[in-house]
C-alpha cells in the first residue's frame, strides 16, 4: 500500500508542478503547446520503442488488447445511445460522445501512471494500438460519412492514424523485438535519453492543462466522465475476471487501464470536425479530476 501511495504521490506532485508553472507564467505562454508536441512526437515514441525492444511481443498481443477493445466498445456504444436518447445529441455528436466516454488518455497520462503504479510503461501499448490503429480511424470515418465529405475520406483518416508517431514507435519496437534484432548503440542511446524525459514532461504538460480553463460541469459531461472512469474499469475488470480468468496483477492492470480518463485527442477530433467541441474539452478535464482518486483507490484495492 505504501508503494502505491508513494508512486501516486510522485505523479500528483509533478503534475502540480506543471499547474504552478502555468499559474505563475514561469515557462512562457506557449510552453504547454511546445512541451505537448515534444511528448507526442519524440518522447513517448522513444519510450515505447525502448520498452518494447525489451518486451516479448506476446505480452502486447495478449488478453489485455481484447479487454481494451471490448470494454471501450461496450461502454462507448452504450453511451452513444444514451447521448442520442437522453441528451438529444445529433448522430455526429453521439460519435464524439462515444469517444469521450471510452477513448483513454493512454499516452500523456497512461504511460506515466503505468510506469509508477504498475511498474511497466508498456502496459498501455495494447490500449494505444487499439485506439490509434482501429478506434480513431473507424469513428472519424463514420463522422466523415455523416458529413458527406466525398469519396476517399476514410483513406485520409487511416493515413493520419498510421502516421501517428506513437503508433510508429510502438510498431518499430515490436519489429525489433519480434525479429530478435539488436538495436545499434547509436540508436539505443539517444532513444533512451529521450525515453527518460517522457514521464516527467508528460506529467508537467498534464498539470499545465488543468490550469488553463475551468470546465462547465453539465449533465452530459459528468455522465461521460463517469462512464469513462467508473463504468469502463468495472466492465474491463468483469471481462478480465469472467472472460479470461484474470486475478492479481493482471486484473489490476485491466482495471487501471480501463479507468484512465478521456484523452485530449477527443477534443482534437471534435475541433477538426467542429462537433461537440465544448463537450469534448470539458469531458477531458472532468474525467481527469475524477480518474486520479478513482485510480488511486483501485490501485489500493489490488495491493
Amino acid at each position: 500500500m505504501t508503494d502505491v501511495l508513494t508512486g501516486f504521490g510522485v505523479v500528483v506532485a509533478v503534475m502540480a508542478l506543471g499547474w504552478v508553472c502555468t499559474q505563475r507564467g514561469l515557462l512562457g505562454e506557449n510552453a504547454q503547446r511546445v512541451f505537448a508536441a515534444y511528448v507526442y512526437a519524440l518522447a513517448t515514441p522513444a519510450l515505447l520503442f525502448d520498452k518494447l525492444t525489451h518486451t516479448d511481443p506476446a505480452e502486447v498481443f495478449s488478453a489485455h488488447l481484447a479487454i481494451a477493445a471490448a470494454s471501450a466498445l461496450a461502454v462507448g456504444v452504450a453511451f452513444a445511445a444514451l447521448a442520442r436518447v437522453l441528451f438529444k445529441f445529433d448522430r455526429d455528436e453521439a460519435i464524439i460522445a462515444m469517444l469521450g466516454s471510452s477513448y483513454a488518455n493512454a499516452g500523456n497520462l497512461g504511460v506515466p501512471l503505468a510506469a509508477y503504479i504498475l511498474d511497466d510503461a508498456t502496459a498501455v501499448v495494447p490500449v494505444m494500438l487499439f485506439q490509434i490503429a482501429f478506434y480513431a480511424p473507424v469513428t472519424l470515418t463514420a463522422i466523415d460519412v455523416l458529413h458527406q465529405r466525398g469519396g476517399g475520406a476514410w483513406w485520409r483518416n487511416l493515413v493520419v492514424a498510421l502516421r501517428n508517431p506513437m503508433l510508429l514507435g510502438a510498431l518499430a519496437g515490436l519489429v525489433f523485438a519480434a525479429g530478435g534484432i539488436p538495436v545499434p548503440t547509436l540508436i539505443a542511446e539517444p532513444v533512451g535519453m529521450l525515453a527518460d524525459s517522457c514521464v516527467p514532461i508528460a506529467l508537467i504538460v498534464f498539470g499545465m492543462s488543468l490550469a488553463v480553463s475551468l470546465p462547465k460541469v453539465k449533465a452530459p459531461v459528468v455522465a461521460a466522465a463517469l462512464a469513462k472512469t467508473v463504468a469502463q474499469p468495472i466492465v474491463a475488470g468483469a471481462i478480465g475476471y469472467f472472460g479470461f480468468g484474470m486475478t492479481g496483477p493482471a486484473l489490476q492492470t485491466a482495471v487501471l487501464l480501463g479507468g484512465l480518463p478521456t484523452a485530449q485527442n477527443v477534443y482534437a477530433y471534435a475541433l477538426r470536425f467542429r462537433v461537440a467541441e465544448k463537450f469534448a474539452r470539458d469531458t477531458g478535464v472532468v474525467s481527469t479530476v475524477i480518474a486520479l482518486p478513482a485510480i488511486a483507490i483501485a490501485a489500493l484495492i489490488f495491493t
Side-chain angles (χ1 to χ4, degrees):
M1 181 178 293
T2 302
D3 291 341
V4 171
L5 290 175
T6 300
F8 209 85
V10 169
V11 169
V12 173
V14 179
M15 289 177 61
L17 182 61
W19 186 87
V20 170
C21 287
T22 299
Q23 287 290 329
R24 298 181 64 86
L26 298 178
L27 300 175
E29 295 182 359
N30 296 322
Q32 181 187 349
R33 184 182 300 274
V34 173
F35 283 4
Y38 168 77
V39 170
Y40 172 81
L42 294 176
T44 300
L47 178 63
L48 293 173
F49 178 86
D50 183 60
K51 296 299 182 182
L52 286 170
T53 52
H54 300 91
T55 301
D56 184 350
E59 296 180 17
V60 177
F61 297 97
S62 63
H64 287 294
L65 179 60
I67 293 171
S71 62
L73 292 173
V75 173
V77 170
F79 189 79
L82 179 68
R84 287 279 287 162
V85 175
L86 184 60
F87 302 127
K88 308 302 181 183
F89 278 26
D90 292 334
R91 288 181 296 174
D92 53 355
E93 293 174 331
I95 294 175
I96 294 297
M98 177 181 181
L99 293 174
S101 65
S102 59
Y103 197 104
N105 190 339
N108 288 350
L109 193 57
V111 168
L113 285 180
Y116 277 100
I117 296 177
L118 301 175
D119 195 28
D120 180 12
T122 62
V124 301
V125 173
V127 178
M128 296 177 67
L129 287 177
F130 162 68
Q131 293 185 163
I132 297 171
F134 174 80
Y135 204 15
V138 170
T139 51
L140 297 185
T141 296
I143 296 178
D144 251 340
V145 171
L146 290 175
H147 288 185
Q148 298 180 348
R149 295 193 170 196
W154 69 276
W155 281 106
R156 183 178 64 251
N157 291 329
L158 180 61
V159 169
V160 169
L162 293 178
R163 290 171 57 188
N164 185 293
M166 289 184 283
L167 178 62
L168 294 177
L171 292 178
L174 287 171
V175 168
F176 274 85
I181 305 170
V183 183
T185 302
L186 286 177
I187 295 177
E189 289 297 327
V191 166
M193 293 173 65
L194 291 171
D196 289 340
S197 71
C198 177
V199 171
I201 300 299
L203 291 175
I204 287 175
V205 169
F206 211 85
M208 288 177 169
S209 71
L210 296 179
V212 171
S213 63
L214 294 176
K216 292 183 178 180
V217 183
K218 297 182 178 180
V221 170
V222 174
L226 290 175
K228 183 68 200 73
T229 59
V230 178
Q232 189 170 350
I234 292 175
V235 172
I239 295 173
Y241 183 79
F242 294 106
F244 294 93
M246 288 182 173
T247 58
L251 185 60
Q252 178 191 38
T253 298
V255 171
L256 294 186
L257 293 180
L260 290 172
T262 304
Q264 293 172 331
N265 302 53
V266 177
Y267 180 44
Y269 301 152
L271 286 174
R272 173 182 171 186
F273 290 101
R274 298 182 180 180
V275 175
E277 298 171 29
K278 293 181 179 179
F279 165 85
R281 181 198 64 192
D282 294 347
T283 299
V285 177
V286 173
S287 65
T288 300
V289 173
I290 297 174
L292 293 178
I295 289 175
I297 293 171
L300 291 174
I301 291 174
F302 282 96
T303 44

